[in-house]
Amino acid sequence: KQTGLTSLDYGFVNTAATRSSITYIDGEQGILRYRGYPIEQLAEKSTFLEVAWLLIHGELPSETELADFDERIRRHTLLHEDLRRFFDALPHDAHPMSVLSSAVSALSTFYQDSLSVSDPEQVELSTIRLLAKLPVIAAYAHKKSLGQAFLYPDNSLSFVDNFLRLNFGTLAEPYEVNPVLSRALERLLILHEDHEQNASTSTVRLVGSTQANLFASVSAGINALYGPLHGGANEAVLQMLAGIRDSGESVQKFVERVKNKESGVKLMGFGHRVYKNFDPRAKLVKQSADEVLEALGVHDPLLDIAKELEEVALADQYFIDRKLYPNVDFYTGVIYKAMGFPTRMFTVLFAIGRLPGWIAHWREMNLDPQTKIGRPQQLYVGSPERTLDR
Ligand code: CMC
């Protein structure tokens, strides 16, 4: 028997590693609240930056606080020219998630004046820098993949419009703001802002528990988000839907293959560790999908395939028995595609959305006197002691 080991818990299904007062989830009832406010209300009535402040500081900002926060973020959007050139060293077909995590990691080389984990002013400065620069880095990763020139941020625009312009604007023509697009993206970003101890947030906390700086911790979180079982699922869903369309396979046949666990094929965008009834974010995203595609005048057969898949799966005993429902990633890709984003940018959009949550958790952890370095145990199942025979 190993000393000190009390339980073995693959995937941390039963083990709480922290207390937190940021986000509440009830997986049976399909409830998600940020700092007590239902996600449905926030998605309808607030802005991304307002919710970011709420998550980080615990209360909604006053008008002046929000104006200051917004202004400070606008003033920090520029990337250092050397960081802009950093993109030149990477291959044009690099996955934007790898570009994103590398560039965020590089931020700690450019901003050595804000690496302290205990000085509140430096933590605030790193927070502002990350919120301001991550969307710019993301847009440059996109532009690089297209072989197009990078635009400098236009700080007269709102957070979301600035980001859309950096992605879809060109040097040749002025960018026209599309309010339908802006509001739809803002809503999706709000829905992604936090989700308590998911894999990427837990990664940010684990790395941060060593007193690594905020940039290093967030970069690790981006890498954790990249995987297809987590944020990478939104990209995988689109590939799955396109695969069904291109192969001409019926939705029923595809679902049969999933049920037979044929070469590990899963219904991507379905299932969740915590939600066992429905994912409240998925409900809101599905509504948005119809509204946004209609407003943008897009008809996408992939949306029809997604709806048929959902209908077939929800009526099937395999999915009912395992309590598998569409999660937040099931319909987002169809919307991002209609907005004009390439599939490889989908998880990057998730990362921009999740950034305030990562920051809020890192800061909460650093202020909690109970925090200890994260250090899981193991159950050793290897060889007993043996002698080197030479
Ligand atoms: N398709 C088919 N079967 C599934 C799926 C799915 N998407 N998800 C779970 N199952 C089955 C699984 O095979 C297992 O069956 P059995 O009992 O016969 O072995 C059972 O359901 C329980 O699954 P699990 O893997 O033990 O569940 P988990 O809580 O460990 O995993 C999950 C949760 C989200 C990783 C998983 O449902 C999954 O892989 N889903 C597809 C990927 C995906 O959409 N991820 C996005 C999650 S939401 C956004 C985010 O957090 O990033």
Side-chain angles (χ1 to χ4, degrees):
K1 184 168 170 351
Q2 275 176 252
T3 46
L5 190 64
T6 50
S7 65
L8 174 61
D9 182 12
Y10 278 105
F12 304 106
V13 175
N14 293 307
T15 308
T18 185
R19 303 178 299 180
S20 180
S21 49
I22 300 172
T23 286
Y24 172 79
I25 300 177
D26 180 332
E28 292 299 329
Q29 309 279 332
I31 294 172
L32 169 61
R33 296 184 198 129
Y34 297 161
R35 301 281 189 185
Y37 293 103
I39 189 64
E40 293 79 4
Q41 294 176 18
L42 293 169
E44 204 48 51
K45 299 179 186 160
S46 49
T47 63
F48 177 73
L49 289 185
E50 209 179 1
V51 176
W53 177 282
L54 170 70
L55 289 167
I56 294 169
H57 296 286
E59 295 297 333
L60 283 165
S62 67
E63 239 173 78
T64 333
E65 282 168 338
L66 183 59
D68 285 353
F69 187 51
D70 188 344
E71 175 59 25
R72 280 194 86 189
I73 290 172
R74 285 179 204 230
R75 274 194 282 116
H76 280 86
T77 50
L78 266 188
L79 298 192
H80 191 289
E81 283 298 301
D82 289 342
L83 182 56
R84 235 166 63 87
R85 282 193 288 273
F86 171 89
F87 291 83
D88 295 343
L90 302 172
H92 78 277
D93 57 353
H95 195 287
M97 280 298 277
S98 307
V99 177
L100 199 71
S101 62
S102 312
V104 169
S105 195
L107 288 178
S108 54
T109 68
F110 287 92
Y111 300 109
Q112 297 179 36
D113 60 330
S114 67
L115 300 184
S116 163
V117 301
S118 54
D119 176 343
E121 273 181 31
Q122 289 192 27
V123 169
E124 188 60 21
L125 184 54
S126 291
T127 297
I128 298 286
R129 282 173 166 158
L130 268 170
L131 286 166
K133 294 178 201 302
L134 191 72
V136 184
I137 293 171
Y140 287 0
H142 181 194
K143 283 291 190 193
K144 171 151 181 111
S145 71
L146 298 173
Q148 288 184 7
F150 297 169
L151 272 61
Y152 285 104
D154 175 350
N155 295 334
S156 68
L157 294 175
S158 72
F159 182 89
V160 170
D161 286 332
N162 204 355
F163 175 65
L164 285 169
R165 175 184 162 275
L166 289 172
N167 279 279
F168 300 118
T170 62
L171 288 175
E173 286 167 14
Y175 176 74
E176 263 187 53
V177 168
N178 176 344
V180 173
L181 200 68
S182 313
R183 185 57 205 156
L185 183 58
E186 181 128 35
R187 227 172 149 243
L188 288 176
L189 292 176
I190 294 171
L191 293 180
H192 285 86
E193 281 197 62
D194 193 45
H195 213 237
E196 48 121 308
Q197 308 306 321
N198 56 86
S200 57
T201 304
S202 299
T203 300
V204 170
R205 277 186 175 263
L206 186 62
V207 175
S209 79
T210 69
Q211 297 186 353
N213 68 68
L214 188 55
F215 303 117
S217 306
V218 166
S219 170
I222 293 171
N223 283 320
L225 187 74
Y226 188 2
L229 298 189
H230 191 6
N234 58 13
E235 178 177 340
V237 169
L238 235 277
Q239 286 162 348
M240 172 186 78
L241 297 175
I244 295 173
R245 179 199 58 198
D246 297 344
S247 68
E249 183 181 28
S250 72
V251 161
Q252 278 80 3
K253 199 89 188 285
F254 178 79
V255 169
E256 281 308 312
R257 285 204 292 125
V258 170
K259 285 160 54 183
N260 295 335
K261 303 194 172 173
E262 217 174 277
S263 50
V265 61
K266 274 185 165 178
L267 184 45
M268 299 311 285
F270 255 68
H272 198 276
R273 172 63 61 76
V274 183
Y275 294 121
K276 297 299 171 197
N277 212 333
F278 69 94
D279 178 338
R281 303 167 301 172
K283 262 194 167 174
L284 298 168
V285 176
K286 189 179 176 188
Q287 281 167 13
S288 271
D290 281 320
E291 288 164 17
V292 175
L293 265 63
E294 198 188 320
L296 296 175
V298 173
H299 174 76
D300 189 344
L302 296 188
L303 180 57
D304 303 331
I305 297 177
K307 285 184 177 169
E308 196 185 339
L309 258 177
E310 180 184 351
E311 207 180 302
V312 170
L314 292 184
D316 193 295
Q317 207 54 42
Y318 173 98
F319 295 89
I320 296 169
D321 288 346
R322 289 166 181 77
K323 300 186 177 197
L324 300 172
Y325 297 86
N327 59 50
V328 69
D329 291 320
F330 195 64
Y331 284 105
T332 45
V334 179
I335 307 179
Y336 295 147
K337 179 168 175 270
M339 290 175 169
F341 287 103
T343 314
R344 291 173 119 207
M345 279 295 287
F346 295 178
T347 313
V348 169
L349 297 168
F350 193 150
I352 296 173
R354 185 55 52 87
L355 178 63
W358 290 332
I359 295 173
H361 281 273
W362 186 94
R363 290 173 61 144
E364 180 181 62
M365 182 199 62
N366 266 301
L367 291 175
D368 185 346
Q370 304 280 357
T371 294
K372 285 161 99 73
I373 186 170
R375 208 299 185 184
Q377 300 217 34
Q378 66 160 16
L379 184 64
Y380 178 69
V381 293
S383 166
E385 184 180 9
R386 46 185 163 165
T387 306
L388 187 61
D389 193 14
R390 59 167 83 133

